[in-house]
Amino acid sequence: MAKGLLLTYVLWAVGGPAGLHHLYLGRDTHALLWMLTLGGGGLGWLWEFWKLPSFVAQANRAQGCKKRPKEGTPPLSLIRFAAQVTVGIYFGLVALISLSSMASFYIVGLPLAVGLGVLLVAAVGNQTSDFKNTLGVAFLISPIFYGRPIAILPISLAASVTAQKHRCYKASVAPETLSVRLYRLGLAYLAFTGPLAYSTLCNTAATLSYMAETLGSFLSWFSFFPLLGRLIEAVLLLPYRIWWLLLGDPGFSSSYINEWEKLYKSVHSFQNEKRQLAHQVLGLSDGATSEEIQRSYRELVKVWHPDHNQHRREEAQRQFLEIQAAYEVLSQPRVPRESQR
């Protein structure tokens, strides 16, 4: 049955951020991507307004003739590559928040989550990529940055480059019933949202705290580029800004927006608290210079090194680790200031 352009636009307007129009057109991978990202943060959903005619034509061509899949390599798309990197980072951040307590997370969980995010974008439309090579590169890169949230960025970049290198057209497959497609999409959606929902409902305080720490670490990657850092902050605040522009100042009438904004603000307060504690551990004031931080760090390391404290080795080990952690916090540049409303 041929797909109608008018019905596609109706579904796009009604359930576009949830991928309803893609489900109607048989673009299940694209539908899942929109379900997990709410239409690419809304921006991808709006941009698709001009792409719907080509999507409908492509779906009708696939139904009207059964021919062999295209041969050769699909053209390189910078938009798809940027989307792969972005979704890979997004999947990695969600995994950090919900799965970081699992054993061997940085060896198994994190590269798997980032790689699957990259592969999801790679499989949108009539293209796909090599599953084994993309995940293989993600697993090879992960141990290099073991235990550090910054691992998400290089893993996503390496997996995206590999996915682009091995891009190809999808092979033709027999059409499936709607129930089978919905069953598969439901399982994929639960696999993504289930761990996050469990950690949020069963350990809300710890989840919110770790979410703030994860977002703070993510923002600190861009501290060397203030303009880029402000751009990232603007993107994170985009849902609240859109709400404020459309409906005016909510005046804390919306509990969801209120909690969302407080969570974002907690990123900065959390980072400030960590720096204050780090100054206390090193015995420094808040305005200490980098030279003073390094000097205090070297002196305390000499005093509390476990090899120099055999008679109180456990206490020295604990103090030594605290000193190392405090120095690592103070060695990072400050996160850019919060954008003004």
Side-chain angles (χ1 to χ4, degrees), residues 53-73:
S54 63
F55 291 162
V56 173
Q58 183 180 355
N60 287 330
R61 284 197 303 269
Q63 281 188 347
C65 57
K66 296 182 179 179
K67 59 180 181 179
R68 292 183 302 174
K70 294 182 180 180
E71 297 180 355
T73 302

Side-chain angles (χ1 to χ4, degrees), residues 60-112:
N60 287 330
R61 284 197 303 269
Q63 281 188 347
C65 57
K66 296 182 179 179
K67 59 180 181 179
R68 292 183 302 174
K70 294 182 180 180
E71 297 180 355
T73 302
L76 179 65
S77 173
L78 294 179
I79 295 179
R80 185 183 290 264
F81 176 76
Q84 287 174 344
V85 175
T86 303
V87 175
I89 292 174
Y90 169 64
F91 272 48
L93 290 175
V94 173
L96 269 175
I97 294 169
S98 58
L99 298 174
S100 58
S101 60
M102 66 178 288
S104 304
F105 168 74
Y106 283 94
I107 298 297
V108 179
L110 185 61
L112 180 61

